[in-house]
Amino acid sequence: MTLTLDIAVETFPIAGTFTISRGSRTEISVVRVVIAGGGHRGQAECVPYPRYGESVDGVVDAIRAASSLLQGTDALRDLQACMPPGAARNAVDCALWDLEAKQTGKPAHRRFGLEDLHPVTTAYTLSLGTPEAMQAAAAESAARPLLKIKLGGDGDADRIRAVRRGAPESRLIVDANEAWPVDQLDRLLATCREADIALIEQPLPAGADDALRSCSHDVPICADESAHTSAEIDDLVGKYDAINIKLDKTGGLTEAHALLQAAKAREFKVMIGCMVGTSLGMAPAMLVAQDADFVDLDGPLLLARDRKPGLTYEGSTVYPPLPELWG
């Protein structure tokens, strides 16, 4: 069967400004892929991330160059062998999962090994800001059961305490995005313990995180920038307690499934995360979310507008995708 590939770059406004330790944004650019064949269409999106050396133009070129792989007898297998992990492969991989579901009438979650999909509770992310601004944002979202707070290094202890004051009942995840200095690690870990933080995400830079092997901590530490695929997971044992799986890092749902199984086999806790994207980017991640300890699929909640149809969010509860969206 001959498959055709269409690529589109789409821009969506963020509701206000989204700030992490690496900078601020007011909009996102996603690359949407549609693969068609046999009268059916599969779609997916990815978010190119400069932290991993990606750009929109580079991802579009990589997807276009991979179009010949679609004509093989097993396109999903060929993708894993011939394309590196990352955003470009994610879009093609997830579009193929969607296309197969449309062609066979068998939902993608069945291929993933799940009987059914159920709603999950997602974290809601608070941007990096002053302690006062973050406390106010936390107070506005204090009814949400799980909040994720972006940190930036200097002043993080004050930010953590301020958010805890603003949302005294919420479970809290802190995400340092590699911004903590090693010489402040013990002090910040103690602050997290005192504030009853549920999870600490990527405190040290990837590649410079060996200090985690010898640090004493009560709060689980989660690898994000240090964790991309199942091939790397053995190096994370002894440093981290949890793995953040993001499809834009793994290069799609195929490798995300392998990383999920590898993480569970090594008794890591699992977080399913996302870049800031639309419901189309979150939809395949909902399959991983079914077996995750922490879910962070709030991308559409951070946008001024989502694509339609999108996922249904009721507060922090997110429901499985409709077939018209994906899967």
Side-chain angles (χ1 to χ4, degrees):
M1 179 191 303
T2 299
L3 301 179
T4 62
L5 173 69
D6 288 319
I7 309 168
V9 177
E10 301 172 339
T11 301
F12 292 83
I14 290 174
T17 301
F18 185 71
T19 302
I20 66 172
S21 61
R22 300 188 186 100
S24 300
R25 289 183 291 168
T26 58
E27 64 179 23
I28 60 162
S29 293
V30 304
V31 180
R32 178 171 171 258
V33 166
V34 177
I35 300 175
H40 298 277
R41 299 164 70 252
Q43 66 171 350
E45 77 175 29
C46 68
V47 182
Y49 197 38
R51 166 64 179 81
Y52 302 131
E54 297 174 337
S55 67
V56 170
D57 289 344
V59 164
V60 169
D61 289 344
I63 293 171
R64 190 174 289 121
S67 60
S68 61
L69 300 175
L70 303 180
Q71 310 312 323
T73 56
D74 191 339
L76 279 172
R77 180 199 61 202
D78 294 343
L79 278 181
Q80 313 312 307
C82 299
M83 284 189 79
R89 194 177 78 185
N90 176 34
V92 181
D93 180 271
C94 290
L96 285 170
W97 276 74
D98 186 35
L99 177 62
E100 180 179 289
K102 300 295 194 297
Q103 289 176 332
T104 63
K106 181 179 179 180
H109 66 262
R110 296 287 177 83
R111 175 179 180 139
F112 199 78
L114 301 168
E115 286 298 316
D116 294 295
L117 295 179
H118 56 77
V120 296
T121 299
T122 181
Y124 180 76
T125 303
L126 306 181
S127 284
L128 174 66
T130 65
E132 295 77 14
M134 294 186 74
Q135 180 172 340
E140 290 180 3
S141 300
R144 293 183 181 272
L146 181 62
L147 297 177
K148 174 173 169 175
I149 60 177
K150 290 291 187 177
L151 299 176
D154 237 7
D156 279 349
D158 291 335
R159 292 185 180 99
I160 292 166
R161 296 186 189 105
V163 169
R164 175 49 79 200
R165 288 193 297 270
E169 302 300 326
S170 300
R171 296 178 76 209
L172 299 180
I173 299 169
V174 301
D175 184 5
N177 283 119
E178 306 179 276
W180 287 0
V182 173
D183 61 2
Q184 295 183 31
L185 182 61
D186 288 340
R187 179 176 64 86
L188 289 166
L189 289 174
T191 301
C192 288
R193 181 180 64 252
E194 293 162 6
D196 194 25
I197 301 301
L199 190 71
I200 301 166
E201 198 175 339
Q202 196 69 44
L204 301 179
D209 54 4
D210 278 343
L212 296 176
R213 293 191 186 278
S214 57
C215 77
S216 176
H217 59 279
D218 300 318
V219 181
I221 298 177
C222 180
D224 182 1
E225 285 85 353
S226 292
H228 290 251
T229 69
S230 56
E232 305 155 345
I233 196 165
D234 286 332
D235 184 55
L236 306 179
V237 175
K239 291 195 286 189
Y240 293 96
D241 310 292
I243 305 295
N244 187 346
I245 300 174
K246 292 178 180 174
L247 273 59
D248 277 313
K249 291 189 304 177
T250 65
L253 193 57
T254 303
E255 176 58 28
H257 185 270
L259 180 53
L260 174 65
Q261 299 305 312
K264 290 292 187 180
R266 289 160 181 79
E267 298 185 346
F268 283 108
K269 291 183 180 296
V270 169
M271 180 179 186
I272 176 64
C274 66
M275 308 303 183
V276 182
T278 78
S279 284
L280 182 56
M282 308 302 116
M286 280 292 289
L287 277 59
V288 183
Q290 306 299 299
D291 200 26
D293 301 284
F294 297 89
V295 176
D296 179 25
L297 297 179
D298 64 342
L301 296 178
L302 305 176
L303 300 178
R305 63 175 175 85
D306 192 10
R307 64 175 77 246
K308 296 182 180 179
L311 293 175
T312 297
Y313 288 83
E314 292 181 358
S316 293
T317 301
V318 54
Y319 290 82
L322 297 172
E324 293 88 344
L325 175 64
W326 187 89

